[in-house]
Amino acid sequence: MLRRVALALLAVAATGPAFGQAYPNKPINLIVPFAAGGPTDVMARILGERMGKELGQQIVIDNVTGAAGSIAMGKLARSAPDGYTIGIGHLGTNVVNGAIYKNLNYDLINDLEPIALLPSNPLLVVTSNQIPAKDLKELVAYLKANADKISGGTAGLGSGSHIGALAFFAVTGTNYQLVPYRGTGPAVQDLIANQIQIMIDQSSNSLPHIRAGKLKVYAVTAKQRTAAAPDVPTTAEAGFPGIEVAIWHGLWAPKGTPKDIIDKINAAAVKALQDPDIRRKLEDLGQDIPTPEQMKPDVFGAYQKAEFAKWKPIIDKAGVKVD
Ligand code: MLT
């Protein structure tokens, strides 16, 4: 009798969804909210490949662009909470957009589950090689004198490059036309071609072009210089204190994704960021790598909420709103 009950229980378990199908048993879709070739996409590809090895399944990149990442995060929030769709975002997409976009049809805090904090990029003040200024003070004077001829690239209202431009305007008293792109990957190509003249751009996007002599750099928006570009002064050293912005990244899943799955993806991200080759690659692009403690889902979730409380009044004061 006992044996029959045990066999019956086994048969029920065998037809259940979990039997023999430990997560993950198929490729994982990673939504990237900006165009291919930009900083978010590059980070997703570097980490995704390594995390896929760790999880034993491929991580497939899905670039969902538009509205500074809010279309992508909406898609993520509405995806099945089964661990097979996750998303990478950053300070712009997952904090600032919540304050800027009045009609988001999802809630950045309540409809998404934090998985892990990822590296952050300082911003660089970069221009095309056509701009004659030799340092940041000369650049600011040039921008003021030629305001009507200058345009700057961003990845849309609320993106990292837009946050950077707003901070730059506030501190330097400059104001030029902002041109929105689907990501700073395409924008930086137009900067090289002088279709636009300036960007306040994430280090990982423009550093390779600066090193190749295709762009000019004036300052880094950080408290300290970055080891990846030690000759570049901080904005404070260059005469304009108060522009200290770093664009941190993170991974999220749809709300309701089981905790053991979140923990498994988190562990893969932690492992990937401990890999010396990956660390070298990211640090060479100016990125700061978080500690495993900072990456914990609950620690990261609390950080995201604290960042929202910090940025909401700044955005409200700047009066940037999109209906
Ligand atoms: C990108 O990947 O294109 C950037 O993260 C855009 C931005 O926020 O400036």
Side-chain angles (χ1 to χ4, degrees):
M1 172 67 182
L2 265 180
R3 191 163 174 272
R4 229 179 301 141
V5 171
L7 282 174
L9 283 174
L10 256 180
V12 169
T15 56
F19 187 79
Q21 301 185 15
Y23 173 85
N25 59 33
K26 61 178 185 182
I28 298 165
N29 197 34
L30 173 55
I31 294 179
V32 174
F34 295 103
T40 318
D41 180 75
V42 167
M43 188 181 298
R45 285 173 200 272
I46 293 176
L47 291 181
E49 198 197 343
R50 184 66 178 76
M51 286 173 63
K53 281 187 190 140
E54 214 51 55
L55 290 164
Q57 284 291 340
Q58 203 194 347
I59 294 192
V60 180
I61 304 292
D62 179 15
N63 296 90
V64 179
T65 64
S70 52
I71 293 173
M73 288 306 141
K75 180 174 176 186
L76 178 64
R78 289 185 295 273
S79 297
D82 57 6
Y84 290 100
T85 306
I86 57 175
I88 185 170
H90 63 32
L91 168 65
T93 57
N94 289 65
V95 171
V96 171
N97 279 356
I100 284 190
Y101 289 82
K102 279 206 230 148
N103 293 319
L104 286 185
N105 58 359
Y106 57 91
D107 186 302
L108 281 171
I109 304 285
N110 295 317
D111 293 342
L112 296 173
E113 204 83 61
I115 302 174
L117 179 66
L118 297 181
S120 68
N121 269 315
L123 296 164
L124 299 175
V125 180
V126 283
T127 70
S128 83
N129 281 341
Q130 307 302 313
I131 300 296
K134 286 196 290 297
D135 57 28
L136 190 59
K137 281 191 178 151
E138 278 192 25
L139 176 65
V140 167
Y142 182 84
L143 294 173
K144 285 182 176 166
N146 296 279
D148 53 333
K149 299 190 199 81
I150 301 289
S151 46
T154 75
L157 295 178
S159 62
S161 39
H162 179 234
I163 300 165
L166 290 181
F168 186 75
F169 287 169
V171 169
T172 59
T174 54
N175 194 358
Y176 46 80
Q177 195 202 342
L178 292 174
V179 182
Y181 288 78
R182 287 188 174 268
T184 47
V188 84
Q189 296 302 330
D190 273 6
L191 184 62
I192 292 168
N194 196 41
Q195 300 292 322
I196 52 175
Q197 288 69 45
I198 181 166
M199 278 173 66
I200 315 298
D201 191 25
Q202 292 183 50
S203 62
S204 62
N205 198 38
S206 38
L207 256 183
H209 304 300
I210 293 163
R211 288 177 181 147
K214 293 183 185 165
L215 292 175
K216 290 173 84 168
V217 60
Y218 297 84
V220 56
T221 66
K223 273 202 171 65
Q224 273 133 24
R225 294 184 181 208
T226 165
D231 296 340
V232 177
T234 66
T235 36
E237 285 173 333
F240 296 92
I243 323 174
E244 280 149 15
V245 189
I247 308 300
W248 54 262
H249 293 72
L251 283 174
W252 285 266
K255 197 69 168 187
T257 304
K259 187 172 176 331
D260 56 334
I261 290 182
I262 297 280
D263 288 345
K264 211 162 185 179
I265 306 171
N266 175 282
V270 169
K271 259 294 185 28
L273 285 176
Q274 281 168 347
D275 180 323
D277 283 345
I278 298 229
R279 291 181 81 87
R280 218 170 301 124
K281 242 184 230 168
L282 299 177
E283 282 167 354
D284 186 55
L285 293 171
Q287 309 203 357
D288 281 328
I289 299 173
T291 63
E293 176 65 24
Q294 291 170 316
M295 291 176 74
K296 282 184 179 161
D298 55 336
V299 176
F300 171 42
Y303 180 60
Q304 184 192 3
K305 283 186 188 149
E307 284 285 273
F308 192 77
K310 171 181 150 186
W311 281 92
K312 173 99 173 65
I314 298 174
I315 299 298
D316 288 350
K317 193 164 166 226
V320 192
K321 288 274 174 243
V322 183
D323 286 330

